[in-house]
């Protein structure tokens, strides 16, 4: 338990360290969002002109969109297991380099097969960033600001979408889709060196692995409050007389995936996975196909890109506002509400003829779809204890990416079959309702209470 007030910074150096970590992780996830949306932003160009990577059908385009999500799922699940054993810093540095190189190579792809393979490889790096970033923020953020800090960091996903939409609108005619992908590779030039020098290992992780001296030394170097970052060792009581009826010992917390699938965490683990699955199905499905759906609804190819701008812009501002309420009334309540908000807005879109009202509904849906994901990672990282936190966030990001795989495929099937926009919006609205139900059923975190085992002592010999 911390002994210092979570509202008080120990020193300016403590504050600078935490904000540096926040900035590094936030920028990394900003480019995750850029990668998410840039494919949807250039998809019309790739569909209309087979000279780029080959002749694409809507079904193949949807499958290509899912390849990156398969990579993200594998990368996130792998990062969770590795991050809880080798540390957060090593995984983040590797992920930034991997993602950047993948984006650069994708920009040079000249066939559908090569493009899909490189999207998969890039997704591995994205998954490592998403899974590890939540664990890093949860372990450096002040306790009463974790939802806010997680929302700031993960709002990088929709903010990256806004960046991708704007750059596609402004620069695609000048630099083409390949130039837009090269922009996504730039973190290796500035973010990787910054992270190498300014991103420390997590003292909480070091302490959880038994390296208390290293954790305390790290707290001293960065002037972090040791009482907050290095939990005190739990005393183990032993029976002092044969008359003792019971002996209470603290049960060691399981690490990694063994921890999140233990009996205490299992119900919440499954529901968190379902919640993330639904959120990412909607997020990736809409970000891949919303421009095409809007074209079917009467928008021009250029104007349809504004739908991505409003979807992601609404998520940025709405997610930050929602996080403020989440720190006061709980993330679960807010996520449930925003899922329902998305369902209402998406279901109403086919019946709205006014473009201002339509873009307003899209922005509100963005709060419930992408904005919900911002809070999902915060809820997850705070639900699991330190020993299995990275695995918990990895499960949320990794299993959720199965939804990200199905989202683009579902959109491609709908468009390829010639169904109108009404079917697409109703399908995504129904998914949001299911997400709200799963979120509402998540139980209280076992990490909020100490786990004790009652052991009957051996009877004294007479």
């Amino acid at each position: 338990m911390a002994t210092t007030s979570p509202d008080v910074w120990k020193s300016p150096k403590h504050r600078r360290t935490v904000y540096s970590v926040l900035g590094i992780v936030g920028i990394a996830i900003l480019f995750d969002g850029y990668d998410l949306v840039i494919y949807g932003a250039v998809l019309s160009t790739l569909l209309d002109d087979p000279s780029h990577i080959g002749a694409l059908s809507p079904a193949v385009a949807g499958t290509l969109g899912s390849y990156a999500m398969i990579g993200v799922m594998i990368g996130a699940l792998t990062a969770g297991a590795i991050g809880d054993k080798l540390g957060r810093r090593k995984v983040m540095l590797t992920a930034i380099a991997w993602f950047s190189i993948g984006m650069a190579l994708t920009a040079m792809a000249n066939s559908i097969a090569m493009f899909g393979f490189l999207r998969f490889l890039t997704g591995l790096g994205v998954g490592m960033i998403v899974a590890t970033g939540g664990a890093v923020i949860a372990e450096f953020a002040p306790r009463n600001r974790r939802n806010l800090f997680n929302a700031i960091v993960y709002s990088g996903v929709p903010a990256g979408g806004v960046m991708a939409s704007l750059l596609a609108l402004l620069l695609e005619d000048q630099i083409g889709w390949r130039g837009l992908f090269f922009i996504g590779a730039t973190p290796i030039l500035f973010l990787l060196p910054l992270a190498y020098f300014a991103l420390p290992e997590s003292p909480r992780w070091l302490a959880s692995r038994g390296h208390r001296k290293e954790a305390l030394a790290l707290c001293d170097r960065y002037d972090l409050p040791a009482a907050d970052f290095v939990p005190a060792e739990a005393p183990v009581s032993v029976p002092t007389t044969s008359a003792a009826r019971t002996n209470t010992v603290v049960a060691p917390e399981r690490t990694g995936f063994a921890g999140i699938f233990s009996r205490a965490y299992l119900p919440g683990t499954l529901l968190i996975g379902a919640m993330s699955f639904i959120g990412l199905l909607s997020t990736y499905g809409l970000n891949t196909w919303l421009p095409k759906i809007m074209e079917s609804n009467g928008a021009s190819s250029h104007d349809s890109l504004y739908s991505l701008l409003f979807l992601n812009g609404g998520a940025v501002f709405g997610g930050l506002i929602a996080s403020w309420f989440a720190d006061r009334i709980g993330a679960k309540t807010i996520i449930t509400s925003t899922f329902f908000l998305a369902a209402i807005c998406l279901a109403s879109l086919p019946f709205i003829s006014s473009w201002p009202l339509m873009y307003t509904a899209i922005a509100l849906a963005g709060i419930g779809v992408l904005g919900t994901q911002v809070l999902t990672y915060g809820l997850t990282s705070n639900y699991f204890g330190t020993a299995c936190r990275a695995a918990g966030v990895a499960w949320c990001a990794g299993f959720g990416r199965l939804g990200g795989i199905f989202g683009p495929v579902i959109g491609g099937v709908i468009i390829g079959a010639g169904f109108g926009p009404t079917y697409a919006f109703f399908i995504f609205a129904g998914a949001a309702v299911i997400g709200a139900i799963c979120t509402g059923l998540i139980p209280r975190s076992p990490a909020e209470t100490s786990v004790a085992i009652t052991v009957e002592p051996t009877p004294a010999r007479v």
Side-chain angles (χ1 to χ4, degrees):
M1 296 292 292
T3 58
T4 59
S5 169
D7 285 319
V8 177
W9 299 104
K10 180 182 177 183
S11 67
K13 188 174 183 179
H14 171 207
R15 183 173 61 247
R16 285 196 304 270
T17 298
V18 174
Y19 282 138
S20 294
V21 171
L22 184 71
I24 290 167
V25 177
I27 294 171
I29 292 180
L30 175 77
F31 278 87
D32 170 22
Y34 183 89
D35 173 79
L36 157 65
V37 175
I38 200 62
Y39 176 64
V42 304
L43 183 56
S44 292
T45 299
L46 299 178
L47 284 167
D48 295 340
D49 189 349
S51 67
H52 295 294
I53 60 173
L56 279 178
S57 67
V60 172
T63 303
L64 282 180
S66 71
Y67 285 166
M69 297 308 100
I70 296 172
V72 171
M73 178 184 67
I74 296 173
L77 293 173
T78 303
I82 295 175
D84 279 331
K85 291 187 177 181
L86 300 183
R88 323 307 195 205
R89 172 183 156 82
K90 292 178 182 177
V91 175
M92 281 298 295
L93 293 176
T94 302
I96 293 168
W98 190 303
F99 164 81
S100 300
I101 293 170
M103 287 291 282
L105 292 175
T106 304
M108 296 182 282
N110 55 15
S111 70
I112 293 175
M114 183 59 67
F115 185 88
F117 176 67
L118 291 172
R119 289 292 290 160
F120 167 78
L121 287 183
T122 304
L124 293 174
V126 173
M128 288 189 282
I129 289 172
V130 171
T132 308
V136 171
I137 293 303
E139 292 172 6
F140 277 92
R143 204 174 306 107
N144 74 331
R145 297 180 189 174
R146 284 177 184 167
N147 280 312
L148 176 61
F149 278 30
N150 268 284
I152 291 172
V153 164
Y154 284 105
S155 65
V157 174
V162 171
M163 182 171 74
S165 303
L166 287 173
L167 291 178
L169 284 165
L170 297 173
L171 298 179
E172 186 176 6
D173 291 340
Q174 286 73 40
I175 65 176
W177 71 269
R178 296 182 190 276
L180 293 172
F181 271 82
F182 271 123
I183 291 174
T186 57
I188 199 170
L189 301 177
F190 69 94
L191 186 61
L192 183 61
L194 178 63
Y196 182 83
F197 290 105
L199 181 66
E201 184 54 87
S202 164
R204 285 193 176 94
W205 175 81
L206 287 169
S208 73
R209 302 298 293 177
H211 305 300
R212 287 183 56 83
K213 289 184 179 179
E214 294 178 37
L216 292 171
L218 200 63
C219 289
D220 184 62
R221 186 187 315 162
Y222 290 93
D223 207 20
L224 305 174
D228 287 339
F229 283 83
V230 183
E233 291 180 307
V236 178
S237 60
V238 294
T240 56
T241 67
S242 60
R245 297 295 301 268
T246 61
N247 175 35
T248 300
V249 296
V250 177
E253 187 176 359
R254 295 182 181 179
T255 63
F257 288 102
I260 68 173
F261 287 107
S262 63
R263 183 181 300 177
Y265 280 118
L266 183 60
T269 296
L270 296 178
L271 287 167
I272 284 172
M275 171 186 67
S276 183
F277 178 94
I278 294 298
L280 287 170
L281 183 149
S282 302
T283 295
Y284 283 84
L286 289 172
N287 269 302
T288 301
W289 289 109
L290 187 57
K292 273 295 180 184
I293 295 173
M294 295 302 291
E295 284 184 42
S296 301
N297 215 30
S300 68
S301 177
H302 183 272
D303 290 345
S304 68
L305 291 176
Y306 285 104
S307 62
L308 291 179
L309 187 62
F310 279 89
L311 182 75
N312 289 278
V316 172
F317 295 106
L320 291 175
I321 294 171
S323 70
W324 186 89
F325 286 101
D327 276 324
R328 286 152 181 81
I329 63 177
K332 188 174 85 168
T333 301
I334 298 300
I335 294 172
T336 303
S337 302
T338 56
F339 260 132
F340 277 124
L341 176 65
I344 294 170
C345 291
L346 290 170
S348 67
L349 278 172
F351 308 104
I352 299 175
S353 57
S354 167
W355 287 106
L357 288 178
M358 183 173 292
Y359 283 128
T360 300
I362 289 173
L364 291 174
I367 298 174
V369 177
L370 280 77
T372 291
Q373 284 305 117
V374 168
L375 295 176
T376 293
Y377 293 119
L379 183 153
T380 303
S381 60
N382 292 323
Y383 184 84
F384 295 102
T386 298
C388 58
R389 179 170 289 126
V393 178
W395 164 256
C396 176
F399 185 80
R401 298 295 163 148
L402 283 175
I405 294 168
F406 283 108
V409 172
I410 290 172
V413 170
I414 294 170
I415 299 297
F419 292 117
T422 299
Y423 287 93
F425 287 131
F426 279 2
I427 288 172
F428 288 120
V433 171
I434 297 173
I437 294 171
C438 291
T439 307
L441 293 175
I442 295 173
R444 184 179 179 183
S445 169
E448 295 179 9
T449 58
S450 59
V451 179
I453 301 176
T454 302
V455 182
E456 292 294 338
T458 303
R461 296 177 181 266
V462 178

